[in-house]
Coordinates of all heavy atoms in Angstrom, one line a residue:
I18 N 4.3 33.6 2.9 CA 3.2 32.6 2.7 C 3.6 31.4 3.5 O 4.7 30.8 3.4 CB 3.0 32.3 1.2 CG1 2.6 33.5 0.5 CG2 2.0 31.2 1.1 CD1 2.5 33.3 -1.0
K19 N 2.7 30.9 4.3 CA 2.9 29.7 5.1 C 2.4 28.5 4.3 O 1.3 28.5 3.7 CB 2.1 29.8 6.4 CG 2.3 28.6 7.3 CD 1.5 28.8 8.6 CE 1.7 27.5 9.4 NZ 1.0 27.6 10.7
K20 N 3.2 27.5 4.3 CA 2.9 26.3 3.5 C 2.4 25.2 4.5 O 3.1 24.9 5.5 CB 4.1 25.8 2.8 CG 4.6 26.7 1.7 CD 5.8 26.1 1.0 CE 6.3 27.0 -0.1 NZ 7.5 26.4 -0.7
D21 N 1.2 24.7 4.3 CA 0.7 23.6 5.0 C 1.1 22.3 4.3 O 0.9 22.2 3.1 CB -0.8 23.7 5.2 CG -1.2 24.8 6.1 OD1 -0.4 25.1 7.0 OD2 -2.3 25.3 5.9
R22 N 1.6 21.4 5.0 CA 2.1 20.1 4.4 C 1.2 19.0 4.9 O 0.8 19.0 6.1 CB 3.5 19.9 4.8 CG 4.4 20.9 4.2 CD 5.9 20.5 4.5 NE 6.8 21.6 4.2 CZ 7.3 21.8 3.0 NH1 7.0 21.1 2.0 NH2 8.2 22.8 2.9
M23 N 0.9 18.1 4.0 CA 0.1 17.0 4.4 C 0.9 16.0 5.3 O 0.4 15.3 6.2 CB -0.5 16.3 3.2 CG -1.6 17.1 2.5 SD -2.3 16.2 1.1 CE -3.2 14.9 1.9
V24 N 2.1 15.8 4.9 CA 3.0 14.9 5.6 C 4.1 15.7 6.3 O 4.9 16.3 5.6 CB 3.6 13.8 4.7 CG1 4.5 12.9 5.4 CG2 2.5 13.1 4.0
T25 N 4.1 15.7 7.6 CA 5.2 16.3 8.4 C 6.1 15.2 9.0 O 5.7 14.0 8.9 CB 4.6 17.2 9.5 OG1 3.9 16.3 10.4 CG2 3.7 18.2 8.9
W26 N 7.2 15.6 9.6 CA 8.0 14.7 10.3 C 7.3 13.9 11.4 O 7.6 12.8 11.6 CB 9.3 15.4 10.8 CG 10.2 15.7 9.7 CD1 10.5 16.9 9.1 CD2 11.0 14.8 8.9 NE1 11.4 16.8 8.1 CE2 11.7 15.5 7.9 CE3 11.2 13.4 9.0 CZ2 12.6 14.9 7.0 CZ3 12.1 12.8 8.0 CH2 12.8 13.5 7.1
Q27 N 6.5 14.6 12.1 CA 5.7 14.0 13.2 C 4.8 12.9 12.6 O 4.7 11.8 13.2 CB 4.9 15.1 13.9 CG 5.8 16.0 14.7 CD 5.0 17.2 15.2 OE1 3.9 17.5 14.8 NE2 5.5 17.9 16.2
V28 N 4.1 13.2 11.6 CA 3.2 12.2 11.0 C 4.0 11.0 10.4 O 3.6 9.9 10.6 CB 2.3 12.9 9.9 CG1 1.5 11.8 9.1 CG2 1.4 13.9 10.5
L29 N 5.1 11.3 9.8 CA 5.9 10.3 9.2 C 6.5 9.3 10.3 O 6.5 8.1 10.2 CB 7.0 10.9 8.4 CG 7.9 9.9 7.6 CD1 7.0 9.2 6.5 CD2 9.0 10.6 6.9
C30 N 7.0 10.0 11.4 CA 7.5 9.2 12.5 C 6.4 8.3 13.2 O 6.6 7.2 13.5 CB 8.2 10.1 13.5 SG 9.8 10.7 13.0
R31 N 5.3 8.9 13.3 CA 4.2 8.2 14.0 C 3.7 7.0 13.1 O 3.5 5.9 13.6 CB 3.0 9.1 14.2 CG 1.8 8.4 14.8 CD 0.6 9.3 15.0 NE -0.6 8.5 15.3 CZ -1.1 8.5 16.5 NH1 -0.6 9.1 17.5 NH2 -2.2 7.7 16.7
S32 N 3.7 7.2 11.8 CA 3.2 6.1 10.9 C 4.2 5.0 10.9 O 3.9 3.8 10.8 CB 2.9 6.7 9.6 OG 4.0 7.1 8.9
C33 N 5.5 5.3 10.8 CA 6.5 4.3 10.7 C 6.9 3.7 12.1 O 7.0 2.4 12.1 CB 7.8 4.9 10.1 SG 7.6 5.3 8.4
L34 N 7.0 4.4 13.1 CA 7.5 3.9 14.4 C 6.3 3.4 15.2 O 6.6 2.4 16.0 CB 8.2 5.0 15.1 CG 9.5 5.5 14.4 CD1 10.1 6.6 15.3 CD2 10.5 4.4 14.2
F35 N 5.2 3.9 15.2 CA 4.1 3.4 16.0 C 3.2 2.5 15.2 O 3.0 1.3 15.6 CB 3.3 4.6 16.6 CG 2.2 4.1 17.5 CD1 2.4 3.6 18.7 CD2 0.8 4.2 17.0 CE1 1.3 3.1 19.5 CE2 -0.2 3.8 17.8 CZ 0.0 3.3 19.0
A36 N 2.6 3.0 14.2 CA 1.6 2.2 13.4 C 2.3 1.0 12.7 O 1.7 -0.1 12.7 CB 0.9 3.1 12.4
G37 N 3.5 1.2 12.2 CA 4.2 0.2 11.5 C 4.6 -1.0 12.4 O 4.4 -2.2 12.1
V38 N 5.0 -0.6 13.6 CA 5.4 -1.7 14.6 C 4.2 -2.4 15.1 O 4.2 -3.7 15.2 CB 6.1 -1.0 15.8 CG1 6.3 -2.0 16.9 CG2 7.5 -0.5 15.3
M39 N 3.1 -1.8 15.3 CA 1.8 -2.4 15.7 C 1.3 -3.4 14.6 O 0.9 -4.5 14.9 CB 0.8 -1.4 16.1 CG 1.1 -0.6 17.3 SD 1.3 -1.6 18.8 CE -0.4 -2.0 19.1
E40 N 1.4 -2.9 13.4 CA 1.0 -3.7 12.3 C 1.8 -5.0 12.1 O 1.3 -6.1 11.9 CB 1.0 -2.9 11.0 CG 0.5 -3.6 9.8 CD 0.6 -2.7 8.5 OE1 0.5 -1.5 8.7 OE2 0.6 -3.3 7.4
A41 N 3.1 -4.8 12.3 CA 4.0 -6.0 12.2 C 3.8 -7.0 13.3 O 3.7 -8.2 13.1 CB 5.5 -5.5 12.3
L42 N 3.6 -6.5 14.6 CA 3.3 -7.4 15.7 C 2.0 -8.1 15.5 O 1.9 -9.3 15.8 CB 3.3 -6.6 17.0 CG 4.6 -6.0 17.5 CD1 4.4 -5.2 18.7 CD2 5.5 -7.2 17.7
F43 N 0.9 -7.5 15.0 CA -0.3 -8.1 14.8 C -0.2 -9.2 13.6 O -0.8 -10.2 13.7 CB -1.4 -7.1 14.5 CG -2.0 -6.5 15.8 CD1 -2.0 -5.1 15.8 CD2 -2.4 -7.2 16.8 CE1 -2.5 -4.5 17.0 CE2 -2.8 -6.6 18.0 CZ -2.9 -5.2 18.1
S44 N 0.6 -8.9 12.6 CA 0.8 -9.8 11.5 C 1.5 -11.0 12.0 O 1.1 -12.2 11.7 CB 1.6 -9.1 10.4 OG 0.9 -8.1 9.8
I45 N 2.5 -10.9 12.8 CA 3.3 -12.0 13.4 C 2.3 -12.8 14.3 O 2.3 -14.1 14.3 CB 4.5 -11.6 14.1 CG1 5.5 -11.0 13.2 CG2 5.1 -12.7 15.0 CD1 6.7 -10.2 13.8
L46 N 1.5 -12.2 15.1 CA 0.6 -12.8 16.0 C -0.4 -13.7 15.1 O -0.7 -14.8 15.5 CB -0.1 -11.8 16.9 CG -1.2 -12.4 17.8 CD1 -0.5 -13.3 18.9 CD2 -2.0 -11.3 18.5
A47 N -0.9 -13.1 14.1 CA -1.9 -13.8 13.2 C -1.2 -15.0 12.6 O -1.8 -16.1 12.5 CB -2.4 -12.9 12.1
F48 N 0.0 -14.9 12.2 CA 0.7 -16.1 11.6 C 0.9 -17.2 12.6 O 0.6 -18.4 12.3 CB 2.1 -15.6 11.1 CG 2.9 -16.7 10.4 CD1 2.7 -17.0 9.1 CD2 3.9 -17.3 11.1 CE1 3.4 -18.0 8.5 CE2 4.7 -18.3 10.5 CZ 4.4 -18.6 9.2
F49 N 1.3 -16.9 13.8 CA 1.5 -17.9 14.8 C 0.2 -18.5 15.3 O 0.1 -19.7 15.7 CB 2.3 -17.4 16.0 CG 3.8 -17.3 15.7 CD1 4.5 -16.1 15.8 CD2 4.5 -18.4 15.2 CE1 5.8 -16.0 15.5 CE2 5.8 -18.3 14.9 CZ 6.5 -17.1 15.1
C50 N -0.9 -17.7 15.3 CA -2.2 -18.2 15.7 C -2.7 -19.2 14.8 O -3.4 -20.1 15.2 CB -3.2 -17.0 15.9 SG -3.0 -16.1 17.4
V51 N -2.4 -19.1 13.5 CA -2.9 -20.0 12.5 C -2.2 -21.4 12.8 O -2.9 -22.4 12.8 CB -2.6 -19.6 11.1 CG1 -2.7 -20.7 10.1 CG2 -3.5 -18.4 10.7
F52 N -0.9 -21.4 13.0 CA -0.2 -22.6 13.4 C -0.8 -23.2 14.7 O -1.0 -24.4 14.8 CB 1.3 -22.4 13.5 CG 2.0 -22.4 12.1 CD1 2.1 -21.3 11.4 CD2 2.5 -23.6 11.7 CE1 2.7 -21.4 10.1 CE2 3.1 -23.7 10.4 CZ 3.2 -22.5 9.7
W53 N -1.0 -22.4 15.7 CA -1.5 -22.8 16.9 C -2.9 -23.5 16.7 O -3.2 -24.5 17.4 CB -1.6 -21.7 17.9 CG -2.2 -22.0 19.2 CD1 -1.7 -22.7 20.2 CD2 -3.5 -21.6 19.6 NE1 -2.6 -22.9 21.3 CE2 -3.7 -22.2 20.9 CE3 -4.5 -20.9 19.1 CZ2 -4.9 -22.0 21.6 CZ3 -5.7 -20.7 19.8 CH2 -5.9 -21.3 21.0
S54 N -3.7 -22.8 15.9 CA -5.1 -23.4 15.7 C -5.1 -24.7 15.0 O -6.1 -25.5 15.1 CB -6.0 -22.4 14.9 OG -5.5 -22.3 13.6
H55 N -4.0 -25.0 14.3 CA -3.9 -26.3 13.6 C -3.2 -27.3 14.5 O -2.9 -28.5 14.1 CB -3.1 -26.2 12.3 CG -4.0 -25.6 11.2 ND1 -4.1 -24.3 11.0 CD2 -4.7 -26.2 10.2 CE1 -4.9 -24.1 10.0 NE2 -5.3 -25.3 9.5
G56 N -2.8 -27.0 15.7 CA -2.2 -27.9 16.7 C -0.7 -27.9 16.7 O -0.1 -28.8 17.3
V57 N -0.1 -26.9 16.1 CA 1.4 -26.8 16.2 C 1.8 -25.9 17.3 O 1.3 -24.7 17.4 CB 2.0 -26.3 14.9 CG1 3.5 -26.2 14.9 CG2 1.6 -27.2 13.7
A58 N 2.5 -26.4 18.3 CA 3.0 -25.6 19.4 C 4.0 -24.6 19.0 O 4.8 -24.8 18.1 CB 3.6 -26.5 20.5
L59 N 3.9 -23.4 19.6 CA 4.9 -22.3 19.2 C 6.3 -22.7 19.5 O 7.2 -22.4 18.6 CB 4.5 -21.1 20.0 CG 5.4 -19.8 19.8 CD1 5.3 -19.4 18.3 CD2 5.0 -18.7 20.7
A60 N 6.6 -23.5 20.5 CA 7.9 -23.9 20.8 C 8.4 -24.9 19.7 O 9.6 -24.8 19.3 CB 8.0 -24.6 22.2
D61 N 7.5 -25.7 19.2 CA 7.9 -26.7 18.2 C 8.1 -25.9 16.8 O 8.9 -26.4 16.0 CB 6.8 -27.7 18.0 CG 6.8 -28.7 19.2 OD1 7.8 -28.8 19.9 OD2 5.7 -29.2 19.4
L62 N 7.4 -24.8 16.7 CA 7.6 -24.1 15.4 C 8.9 -23.3 15.4 O 9.6 -23.2 14.4 CB 6.4 -23.1 15.2 CG 6.3 -22.3 13.9 CD1 6.2 -23.3 12.8 CD2 5.2 -21.4 14.0
C63 N 9.3 -22.7 16.6 CA 10.5 -21.9 16.7 C 11.7 -22.8 16.9 O 12.8 -22.5 16.3 CB 10.4 -21.0 17.8 SG 9.1 -19.7 17.6
F64 N 11.6 -23.9 17.6 CA 12.7 -24.8 17.9 C 12.3 -26.2 17.6 O 12.2 -27.0 18.6 CB 13.2 -24.6 19.4 CG 13.4 -23.2 19.8 CD1 12.5 -22.6 20.6 CD2 14.5 -22.5 19.3 CE1 12.7 -21.2 21.0 CE2 14.7 -21.2 19.7 CZ 13.8 -20.6 20.5
P65 N 12.2 -26.6 16.4 CA 11.7 -28.0 16.1 C 12.8 -29.0 16.4 O 14.0 -28.7 16.2 CB 11.4 -27.9 14.6 CG 12.3 -26.9 14.1 CD 12.4 -25.8 15.2
D66 N 12.3 -30.2 16.7 CA 13.3 -31.3 16.9 C 13.7 -32.0 15.6 O 14.7 -32.6 15.4 CB 12.7 -32.4 17.8 CG 11.4 -33.0 17.3 OD1 10.9 -32.5 16.4 OD2 11.0 -34.0 17.9
S67 N 12.9 -31.7 14.5 CA 13.2 -32.2 13.2 C 13.1 -31.0 12.3 O 12.7 -29.9 12.7 CB 12.2 -33.3 12.7 OG 10.9 -32.7 12.7
K68 N 13.5 -31.1 11.0 CA 13.5 -30.0 10.1 C 12.1 -29.7 9.7 O 11.3 -30.6 9.4 CB 14.3 -30.3 8.9 CG 15.8 -30.2 9.0 CD 16.4 -30.4 7.7 CE 17.8 -29.8 7.7 NZ 18.5 -29.9 6.4
L69 N 11.7 -28.4 9.7 CA 10.5 -28.0 9.1 C 10.7 -28.1 7.6 O 11.7 -27.7 7.1 CB 10.2 -26.5 9.5 CG 9.8 -26.3 10.9 CD1 9.7 -24.8 11.2 CD2 8.5 -27.0 11.3
H70 N 9.7 -28.5 6.9 CA 9.8 -28.7 5.5 C 8.6 -28.0 4.8 O 7.5 -28.5 4.9 CB 10.0 -30.1 5.1 CG 10.3 -30.3 3.7 ND1 11.6 -30.1 3.2 CD2 9.6 -30.7 2.6 CE1 11.7 -30.4 2.0 NE2 10.5 -30.7 1.6
F71 N 8.8 -27.0 4.1 CA 7.7 -26.3 3.4 C 7.9 -26.4 1.9 O 8.0 -25.5 1.2 CB 7.7 -24.8 3.8 CG 7.4 -24.6 5.2 CD1 8.3 -24.0 6.1 CD2 6.2 -25.0 5.7 CE1 8.0 -23.7 7.4 CE2 5.9 -24.8 7.1 CZ 6.8 -24.2 7.9
S72 N 7.9 -27.7 1.4 CA 7.8 -27.9 0.0 C 6.9 -29.1 -0.2 O 6.6 -29.8 0.7 CB 9.2 -28.2 -0.6 OG 9.7 -29.4 -0.2
G73 N 6.5 -29.4 -1.4 CA 5.5 -30.4 -1.7 C 6.0 -31.8 -1.8 O 5.3 -32.7 -2.0
S74 N 7.3 -32.1 -1.5 CA 7.9 -33.4 -1.7 C 7.7 -34.2 -0.4 O 7.3 -33.7 0.7 CB 9.3 -33.4 -2.0 OG 10.1 -32.8 -0.9
D75 N 7.9 -35.5 -0.4 CA 7.8 -36.3 0.8 C 9.1 -36.1 1.5 O 10.2 -36.6 1.2 CB 7.7 -37.8 0.4 CG 6.4 -38.1 -0.2 OD1 5.4 -37.3 0.1 OD2 6.3 -39.0 -1.0
A76 N 9.0 -35.3 2.6 CA 10.2 -34.9 3.3 C 10.0 -35.1 4.8 O 8.9 -35.7 5.2 CB 10.4 -33.4 3.1
P77 N 10.9 -34.7 5.7 CA 10.7 -35.0 7.1 C 9.4 -34.3 7.6 O 8.9 -33.3 7.1 CB 11.9 -34.2 7.7 CG 12.9 -34.1 6.7 CD 12.1 -34.1 5.4
V78 N 8.8 -35.0 8.6 CA 7.6 -34.5 9.2 C 7.9 -33.7 10.4 O 9.0 -33.8 11.0 CB 6.6 -35.7 9.5 CG1 6.2 -36.4 8.3 CG2 7.3 -36.6 10.5
L79 N 7.0 -32.8 10.7 CA 7.1 -32.0 11.9 C 6.3 -32.7 13.0 O 5.2 -33.1 12.9 CB 6.5 -30.6 11.7 CG 6.3 -29.7 12.9 CD1 7.7 -29.3 13.5 CD2 5.5 -28.5 12.6
H80 N 7.0 -32.9 14.2 CA 6.3 -33.6 15.3 C 6.0 -32.5 16.3 O 6.8 -31.7 16.8 CB 7.3 -34.6 16.0 CG 7.8 -35.6 15.1 ND1 7.1 -36.6 14.6 CD2 9.1 -35.7 14.5 CE1 7.9 -37.3 13.8 NE2 9.1 -36.8 13.7
S81 N 4.7 -32.4 16.6 CA 4.2 -31.4 17.6 C 3.0 -31.9 18.3 O 2.0 -32.3 17.7 CB 3.9 -30.0 16.9 OG 3.5 -29.0 17.8
N82 N 3.0 -31.7 19.6 CA 1.9 -32.1 20.5 C 1.4 -33.6 20.2 O 0.2 -33.9 20.2 CB 0.7 -31.2 20.3 CG 1.0 -29.8 20.9 OD1 1.8 -29.6 21.8 ND2 0.4 -28.8 20.3
G83 N 2.4 -34.4 20.0 CA 2.1 -35.8 19.7 C 1.5 -36.1 18.4 O 0.9 -37.2 18.1
R84 N 1.6 -35.2 17.5 CA 1.0 -35.3 16.1 C 2.1 -35.1 15.1 O 3.0 -34.3 15.3 CB -0.1 -34.3 15.9 CG -0.9 -34.5 14.6 CD -2.1 -33.7 14.6 NE -2.6 -33.8 13.2 CZ -3.2 -32.8 12.6 NH1 -3.4 -31.6 13.2 NH2 -3.5 -32.9 11.3
D85 N 2.0 -35.8 14.0 CA 3.0 -35.7 12.9 C 2.3 -34.9 11.8 O 1.2 -35.2 11.3 CB 3.5 -37.0 12.4 CG 4.2 -37.8 13.5 OD1 4.8 -37.2 14.3 OD2 4.2 -39.1 13.4
F86 N 3.0 -33.9 11.3 CA 2.5 -33.1 10.1 C 3.4 -33.4 8.9 O 4.6 -33.2 9.0 CB 2.6 -31.6 10.5 CG 1.7 -31.2 11.6 CD1 2.1 -31.2 12.9 CD2 0.4 -30.8 11.3 CE1 1.3 -30.8 13.9 CE2 -0.5 -30.5 12.3 CZ 0.0 -30.5 13.6
S87 N 2.8 -33.9 7.9 CA 3.6 -34.2 6.6 C 3.9 -32.9 5.9 O 3.5 -31.8 6.3 CB 2.7 -35.1 5.7 OG 1.6 -34.3 5.2
A88 N 4.7 -33.0 4.9 CA 5.1 -31.8 4.2 C 3.9 -31.1 3.5 O 3.9 -29.9 3.5 CB 6.1 -32.2 3.1
D89 N 3.0 -31.9 3.0 CA 1.8 -31.3 2.4 C 0.9 -30.6 3.5 O 0.4 -29.5 3.2 CB 0.9 -32.4 1.7 CG 1.6 -32.9 0.5 OD1 2.4 -32.1 -0.1 OD2 1.3 -34.0 0.1
E90 N 0.8 -31.2 4.7 CA 0.1 -30.5 5.7 C 0.8 -29.2 6.1 O 0.1 -28.2 6.4 CB -0.1 -31.4 6.9 CG -1.0 -32.5 6.7 CD -1.1 -33.5 7.9 OE1 0.0 -33.9 8.4 OE2 -2.2 -33.8 8.4
Q91 N 2.1 -29.2 6.2 CA 2.8 -28.0 6.6 C 2.7 -26.9 5.5 O 2.5 -25.8 5.8 CB 4.3 -28.4 6.7 CG 4.7 -29.3 7.9 CD 6.1 -29.6 7.9 OE1 7.0 -28.7 7.9 NE2 6.4 -30.9 8.0
M92 N 2.6 -27.3 4.2 CA 2.4 -26.4 3.2 C 1.0 -25.7 3.3 O 0.9 -24.5 3.0 CB 2.6 -27.0 1.8 CG 4.0 -27.2 1.4 SD 4.9 -25.7 1.3 CE 4.1 -24.9 -0.1
K93 N 0.0 -26.5 3.6 CA -1.3 -26.0 3.7 C -1.4 -25.0 4.8 O -2.0 -23.9 4.7 CB -2.3 -27.1 3.9 CG -2.6 -27.9 2.6 CD -3.5 -29.1 2.8 CE -3.6 -30.0 1.6 NZ -4.3 -31.2 1.8
I94 N -0.8 -25.4 6.0 CA -0.9 -24.5 7.1 C -0.1 -23.2 6.9 O -0.5 -22.1 7.2 CB -0.3 -25.2 8.4 CG1 -1.2 -26.4 8.7 CG2 -0.3 -24.3 9.6 CD1 -0.6 -27.3 9.8
L95 N 1.1 -23.4 6.2 CA 1.9 -22.2 5.8 C 1.1 -21.2 4.9 O 1.2 -20.0 5.1 CB 3.2 -22.6 5.2 CG 4.1 -21.5 4.7 CD1 4.6 -20.7 5.9 CD2 5.3 -22.1 3.9
S96 N 0.4 -21.8 3.9 CA -0.4 -20.9 3.0 C -1.5 -20.2 3.7 O -1.7 -19.0 3.5 CB -0.9 -21.7 1.8 OG -1.8 -22.6 2.2
V97 N -2.1 -20.8 4.7 CA -3.2 -20.2 5.5 C -2.5 -19.1 6.4 O -3.1 -18.0 6.5 CB -4.0 -21.2 6.3 CG1 -4.9 -20.5 7.3 CG2 -4.7 -22.1 5.4
G98 N -1.4 -19.4 6.9 CA -0.7 -18.4 7.8 C -0.2 -17.2 7.0 O -0.4 -16.0 7.4
N99 N 0.3 -17.4 5.8 CA 0.6 -16.3 4.9 C -0.6 -15.5 4.5 O -0.5 -14.2 4.5 CB 1.3 -16.8 3.6 CG 2.7 -17.3 3.9 OD1 3.3 -16.9 4.9 ND2 3.3 -18.1 3.0
S100 N -1.7 -16.1 4.3 CA -2.9 -15.4 3.9 C -3.4 -14.6 5.1 O -3.9 -13.4 4.9 CB -4.0 -16.4 3.6 OG -3.7 -17.1 2.4
A101 N -3.2 -15.1 6.3 CA -3.6 -14.3 7.5 C -2.7 -13.0 7.6 O -3.2 -12.0 8.0 CB -3.5 -15.2 8.8
V102 N -1.4 -13.2 7.3 CA -0.5 -12.0 7.4 C -1.0 -11.0 6.3 O -1.1 -9.8 6.7 CB 0.9 -12.5 7.2 CG1 1.8 -11.3 6.9 CG2 1.4 -13.3 8.3
Y103 N -1.2 -11.4 5.1 CA -1.6 -10.5 4.1 C -2.9 -9.8 4.4 O -3.1 -8.6 4.2 CB -1.7 -11.2 2.7 CG -0.3 -11.7 2.2 CD1 -0.2 -12.9 1.6 CD2 0.8 -10.9 2.4 CE1 1.0 -13.4 1.2 CE2 2.1 -11.4 2.0 CZ 2.2 -12.6 1.4 OH 3.4 -13.1 1.0
A104 N -3.9 -10.6 4.9 CA -5.2 -10.0 5.3 C -5.0 -9.0 6.4 O -5.7 -7.9 6.4 CB -6.1 -11.1 5.7
N105 N -4.1 -9.3 7.3 CA -3.9 -8.3 8.4 C -3.3 -7.0 7.9 O -3.6 -5.9 8.3 CB -3.0 -9.0 9.5 CG -2.9 -8.1 10.7 OD1 -3.8 -7.7 11.3 ND2 -1.6 -7.7 11.0
I106 N -2.3 -7.1 7.0 CA -1.7 -6.0 6.4 C -2.7 -5.1 5.7 O -2.8 -3.9 5.9 CB -0.6 -6.4 5.5 CG1 0.6 -6.9 6.3 CG2 -0.1 -5.2 4.7 CD1 1.7 -7.6 5.4
I107 N -3.6 -5.7 5.0 CA -4.6 -5.0 4.2 C -5.6 -4.3 5.2 O -6.0 -3.1 5.0 CB -5.4 -5.9 3.2 CG1 -4.4 -6.3 2.1 CG2 -6.6 -5.2 2.7 CD1 -4.9 -7.4 1.2
L108 N -6.0 -5.1 6.2 CA -7.0 -4.5 7.2 C -6.4 -3.4 8.0 O -7.1 -2.4 8.4 CB -7.5 -5.6 8.1 CG -8.4 -6.6 7.4 CD1 -8.8 -7.7 8.4 CD2 -9.7 -5.9 6.9
C109 N -5.1 -3.5 8.3 CA -4.5 -2.4 9.1 C -4.3 -1.2 8.4 O -4.2 -0.1 8.9 CB -3.1 -2.9 9.7 SG -3.3 -4.1 11.1
Q110 N -4.2 -1.3 7.1 CA -3.9 -0.1 6.3 C -5.2 0.6 5.9 O -5.4 1.7 5.6 CB -3.1 -0.4 5.1 CG -1.7 -0.7 5.4 CD -0.8 -1.0 4.3 OE1 -1.2 -0.8 3.1 NE2 0.4 -1.4 4.5

């Protein structure tokens, strides 16, 4: 008797190695696009001249493109970025 399987090694490898990597790349792209749309340069996000601060207290500001982002503004942008990542994960699946 031949057994048909729903999940084979080929399907598992394709879903993890191809679809999973594509989903991760699109999620990262969505996260950075949110920061970019709010005026934060990618270089300033990856290599800031001051500390990024993602808490609600009065802390150091992020300087990007001649604009200062307070801790509260950073938190708002971060929450929108996280929402974009979660929405992308849901849509990709």
Side-chain angles (χ1 to χ4, degrees):
I18 296 176
K19 183 178 178 181
K20 294 182 181 178
D21 289 331
R22 300 185 190 271
M23 291 182 70
V24 179
T25 63
W26 284 107
Q27 293 171 339
V28 172
L29 189 61
C30 287
R31 179 185 168 105
S32 65
C33 291
L34 298 177
F35 179 72
V38 170
M39 293 299 289
E40 183 177 336
L42 290 176
F43 283 126
S44 295
I45 292 168
L46 179 66
F48 182 80
F49 285 124
C50 282
V51 167
F52 276 88
W53 175 76
S54 70
H55 282 87
V57 179
L59 180 60
D61 293 333
L62 187 61
C63 294
F64 309 106
D66 58 352
S67 62
K68 283 187 159 183
L69 291 174
H70 189 77
F71 294 119
S72 71
S74 66
D75 293 331
V78 295
L79 169 67
H80 307 285
S81 182
N82 292 332
R84 185 168 169 216
D85 296 333
F86 295 91
S87 68
D89 289 334
E90 288 176 311
Q91 293 177 53
M92 282 298 295
K93 289 177 185 174
I94 298 170
L95 179 64
S96 65
V97 173
N99 287 339
S100 298
V102 169
Y103 296 139
N105 185 58
I106 290 171
I107 291 169
L108 291 175
C109 284
Q110 292 183 3

